[in-house]
Amino acid sequence: MPVSSFDLKRVLRPNILKLEPYRCARDDYSEGILLDANENSYGPAYQVEISEGADGREELRASSCPDSLHRYPDPLGREVKQRILKLRPSIPSTDNVFLGVGSDEVIDMIVRITCTPGKDSILITPPTYGMYKVVASINDVNVVKVPLIVEEGAFQLDVDAVIQAAVSDPTVKVIWLCSPGNPTGTYLREEDVRRVLDSPFQGLVVMDEAYVDFVRADRGQSYVHLVPEYPGLFVMQTMSKSFGLAGIRLGVGIGSRELVAYLNNAKAPYNVSTLSLGVAKSALSDDGVQKMRSVIRRIQNQRDEYLIPELLRLPHVSAILGGNDANFVVCRLADSDGKPSNAIAKSVYSEMAQNRGLVVRYRGSDYGCEGCLRITVGTAEENRVVIDTL
């Protein structure tokens, strides 16, 4: 979408444009004696002991509660956003950052503010992350499918087909791209992404980058650096993968200040918990980021120097598909004639999960993934178990 012609208000639902957001107590004040939000001033009840002193006054004794769990969190997670800016320096300001309960909430919010149920559509590029389609179904939104180029495990955009489908169908509000893809593990080429962004398409282009930190520097970088250039681009990231914090459920969205403002208007008032924000803040410290990058290097080395070459030595593994830019490997199992075999892949998957205590993911039903298993890169010992078991 050429920058000069993109108009976000044409993409958003009319009711979202008119929405008067809920104003919560912590939007106004967060210090002092806080009696404005009907919180429990005594603190977390399970930690509090109450008695009366000699003068008849209440005496409170509580276990340490450094996170002030009896108070609502910052509704915008400002301290975490400041640290995200340091991690991704090309982001202009905290006003360009949205925080959600995992990437799945971010996906749902994008669909809800753009697509009118029963009328509008999203465009996806199979094989891709299944939640785009699930969220569309929940919100009664149509799904247009333009498959990736899958020959020889390329898993790259069919750019002309994507542009044609999006431009020719006025109901398409969002194009979902995934880089590196899931289950493809492949980084999308920047020249292809720019062609989509420079096309006449007037909706949002959402780039899901859950696995971007696993991409080697010579292969590519986050598309966050394109956000200031393209107001119709929205980039999603997560704390679940590279930071190893799937349990805190924290997703990140980076886009124009205008789009983020509408997302904040539509979200629940205190969607991200104090506990999640506190852990994320620690993980995004200088020391936390340094440790994350150290772990990333170990995963990359295990992926490229052990797991992939060892898998290729196994008799029924005919190929490793995709660009191997994520923290998993997609391996194709074949029969004795070299033909990809879902039957073998299913059998191996079931035997390992049910009888060998080793769980991987069967992906043979995905477009272009016949006979495939997706194997997460584990620790060195876990990867040895994978090879020995297979």
Side-chain angles (χ1 to χ4, degrees), residues 76 78 81-82 85 91-98 234 253-262 264:
L76 296 178
R78 295 171 181 88
K81 290 181 180 181
Q82 285 289 351
L85 295 192
I91 302 175
S93 78
T94 56
D95 292 335
N96 297 90
V97 182
F98 175 77
F234 187 73
I254 302 108
S256 71
R257 295 165 65 107
E258 187 181 15
L259 175 57
V260 170
Y262 281 112
N264 285 330

Side-chain angles (χ1 to χ4, degrees), residues 338-379:
K339 183 179 179 181
S341 173
N342 278 347
I344 292 176
K346 283 183 181 178
S347 177
V348 169
Y349 160 74
S350 298
E351 170 65 20
M352 291 198 304
Q354 295 172 13
N355 301 319
R356 308 298 180 96
L358 176 60
V359 184
V360 298
R361 195 74 176 264
Y362 171 73
R363 301 309 300 247
S365 299
D366 289 292
Y367 177 76
C369 298
E370 186 178 3
C372 286
L373 299 177
R374 191 193 69 193
I375 304 173
T376 302
V377 180
T379 64

Side-chain angles (χ1 to χ4, degrees), residues 34-35 38-52 56-63 65 68-71:
L34 300 174
L35 301 177
N38 299 334
E39 299 153 327
N40 188 331
S41 296
Y42 282 87
Y46 77 100
Q47 293 185 325
V48 175
E49 293 182 11
I50 307 173
S51 61
E52 289 189 4
R57 293 185 178 184
E58 283 184 338
E59 291 184 356
L60 302 181
R61 291 187 299 276
S63 303
C65 187
S68 300
L69 296 182
H70 60 307
R71 299 296 182 190

